[in-house]
Amino acid sequence: MSDTLVNKVGDKTLDVVLVGCGMPKRGMGWYHLTQLLEMENANVIGMVEPFFLNPTLCPTPPAAFTELVTQLEAASVVCTDSVSKLKEFEEKDTMCLIAGRTNDNPKLFKECVDQGAKVIYLEKPGAPTVAELQEMSDLAESKGVKVYLGYNKNVTPYVQKALALQKENAGSSITFCHNNSYATNELNECFTRNREGMLKNMAIHELALLVSFFGVTVDTVKDFNLNTHTLFTEKLSVWVPGTVVPNDEYISDFSRIGFSVTTKDSDNSVSVMADRCGGNVSFASVKNADGVEIEKFNFPDEETLKKVEKQCEEDPEMMPYFFVQSDDYSTLKNLVVDSALSGEPAQSVATIQIAIEALKLAEYFTEEAGRVLDAM
């Protein structure tokens, strides 16, 4: 983030409010904010943080967050704990970027619509359940609000290269592997912060790819095959930090999962793997009809990985995936902001309708995977 923040007002900029900031260097909202402040087409007018800016919930915010607020307020960015405390968005079209906890999204979404937002960029998966996300979609449609989801893999180059190669090779198939770099002893924090579960949180990006590019929906699935080997699929129950005996709590989720899907109108399968502790490198692998790998596209590639490793060494407090996915996050936001300014649809960006289908898959696959494991 720049040491000096400047408001960018004019017809060529879109007013933006960041909703759900989180902690510097840890929260997804904070990282979105740092990029928005650097974007020439975005003018950040507000930052809403329901926890750290609520004196009842958080009487003493961390120093790093307090410093951030001081910087923002010095640049005339309004910082508050509720969207409803901002001025209504009447003077100029405004986008709200919602990056709060998934359970809070339906409430935050309604507040943004009620306040007059014309565009909403919603972090995945959008809502805890399909029913809630559908209600949000219906509300947005009734108010003429455009809604896009932060599925950055829809625009990332390694996915686009793999999709192009698969189209060139009849009968070929793709495996999408999504890795994160949590240590095993960090999984309790990870599971607790992402209570919606692996498939609604981490692997939802890949499910959005299945919907967007392969026509996979709950209605079109013919076969769901879970790889039950523990190298590919593992479900754990971990202690929830902050809870103590006799009221200690535990939460269960997949630390990793692997499966393949075949649709009713195609004999070709598409596979997904996701691993919370798999490291910083994800990939898309294309195999021919005989199952021989044609090419694997790593993300980040070797050159980028060296850059990321250096960045991690220089700033070990930063979540590594911010460095890894920085360009994709920036591309998505620019596409949505440019779309709002031009009035044209944001090309390649997932709509809320795609998000609804992806969330349906997440619920269905979670149930199916659980059924398979329970039967073992």
Side-chain angles (χ1 to χ4, degrees):
M1 186 185 299
S2 300
D3 292 333
T4 303
L5 305 181
V6 180
N7 278 101
K8 301 181 285 291
V9 182
D11 293 337
K12 295 182 179 180
T13 62
L14 180 71
D15 284 354
V16 180
V17 173
L18 187 283
V19 184
C21 181
M23 272 294 291
K25 301 188 179 184
R26 302 292 293 181
M28 188 67 245
W30 170 83
Y31 196 71
H32 279 308
L33 178 62
T34 65
Q35 292 192 324
L36 287 166
L37 291 166
E38 299 291 339
M39 289 166 54
E40 293 296 326
N41 54 359
N43 177 43
V44 179
I45 63 170
M47 185 273 279
V48 177
E49 171 45 52
F51 180 74
F52 290 123
L53 286 174
N54 185 318
T56 301
L57 298 176
C58 185
T60 309
F65 183 82
T66 301
E67 182 181 345
L68 170 65
V69 171
T70 299
Q71 288 180 307
L72 293 172
E73 291 180 337
S76 300
V77 177
V78 179
C79 299
T80 183
D81 65 340
S82 173
V83 177
S84 63
K85 293 182 180 179
L86 298 171
K87 288 177 58 179
E88 290 189 6
F89 312 136
E90 297 176 331
E91 297 179 4
K92 188 178 177 184
D93 285 357
T94 300
M95 179 180 86
C96 287
L97 193 161
I98 303 176
R101 292 177 182 269
T102 300
N103 285 344
D104 298 332
N105 280 357
K107 175 177 178 290
L108 297 174
F109 186 92
K110 185 177 185 303
E111 289 176 354
C112 291
V113 173
D114 290 345
Q115 207 68 9
K118 294 298 182 185
V119 180
I120 294 179
Y121 179 119
L122 188 60
E123 260 305 329
K124 51 78 181 172
T129 66
V130 171
E132 287 169 297
L133 194 57
Q134 184 64 60
E135 287 181 10
M136 293 157 67
S137 177
D138 293 342
L139 174 63
E141 185 175 1
S142 72
K143 300 292 186 179
V145 179
K146 294 182 179 179
V147 185
Y148 295 100
L149 273 287
Y151 287 116
N152 58 297
K153 296 202 173 186
N154 275 40
V155 301
T156 194
Y158 86 99
V159 168
Q160 295 300 320
K161 291 176 182 177
L163 290 171
L165 182 61
Q166 192 230 4
K167 287 182 180 179
E168 295 171 1
N169 292 268
S172 61
S173 61
I174 294 184
T175 296
F176 295 108
C177 178
H178 185 170
N179 287 320
N180 275 174
S181 56
Y182 288 96
T184 303
N185 62 5
E186 295 175 324
L187 286 177
N188 56 352
E189 177 196 352
C190 174
F191 286 12
T192 302
R193 282 195 297 110
N194 304 294
R195 286 177 178 264
E196 61 270 26
M198 162 74 87
L199 286 166
K200 285 188 176 182
N201 176 262
M202 180 180 173
I204 196 72
H205 284 281
E206 283 65 37
L207 300 188
L209 293 177
L210 267 56
V211 175
S212 300
F213 302 109
F214 297 89
V216 180
T217 67
V218 169
D219 293 331
T220 65
V221 171
K222 177 182 178 182
D223 293 308
F224 169 81
N225 295 300
L226 182 72
N227 189 332
T228 57
H229 195 291
T230 54
L231 287 175
F232 294 91
T233 299
E234 179 184 58
K235 193 171 186 180
L236 300 175
S237 182
V238 299
W239 167 72
V240 175
T243 64
V244 295
V245 176
N247 298 314
D248 50 329
E249 297 179 23
Y250 292 82
I251 186 170
S252 296
D253 193 13
F254 295 98
S255 62
R256 54 183 173 265
I257 191 169
F259 59 87
S260 62
V261 180
T262 305
T263 58
K264 296 173 183 176
D265 60 355
S266 174
D267 292 330
N268 296 336
S269 66
V270 57
S271 300
V272 172
M273 297 187 296
D275 190 341
R276 289 287 191 187
C277 306
N280 285 327
V281 180
S282 298
F283 64 82
S285 172
V286 181
K287 295 181 179 180
N288 65 20
D290 296 323
V292 178
E293 185 173 83
I294 304 171
E295 191 169 355
K296 182 168 75 171
F297 302 92
N298 285 338
F299 176 72
D301 56 28
E302 189 172 342
E303 181 180 346
T304 305
L305 184 59
K306 289 179 181 178
K307 177 183 174 183
V308 169
E309 289 175 345
K310 182 179 179 182
Q311 289 173 316
C312 290
E313 289 177 3
E314 293 173 348
D315 194 350
E317 294 180 2
M318 185 83 81
M319 290 299 291
Y321 65 83
F322 291 158
F323 294 132
V324 174
Q325 301 180 38
S326 176
D327 290 346
D328 296 334
Y329 292 141
S330 179
T331 296
L332 264 186
K333 286 193 287 291
N334 272 287
L335 285 169
V336 174
V337 171
D338 285 342
S339 165
L341 291 170
S342 69
E344 299 295 326
Q347 296 299 320
S348 302
V349 182
T351 62
I352 194 167
Q353 287 74 30
I354 288 174
I356 289 170
E357 294 301 331
L359 200 55
K360 287 180 180 179
L361 286 178
E363 293 185 355
Y364 175 64
F365 291 163
T366 298
E367 182 179 341
E368 286 297 295
R371 180 183 59 78
V372 172
L373 293 179
D374 290 343
M376 291 178 62

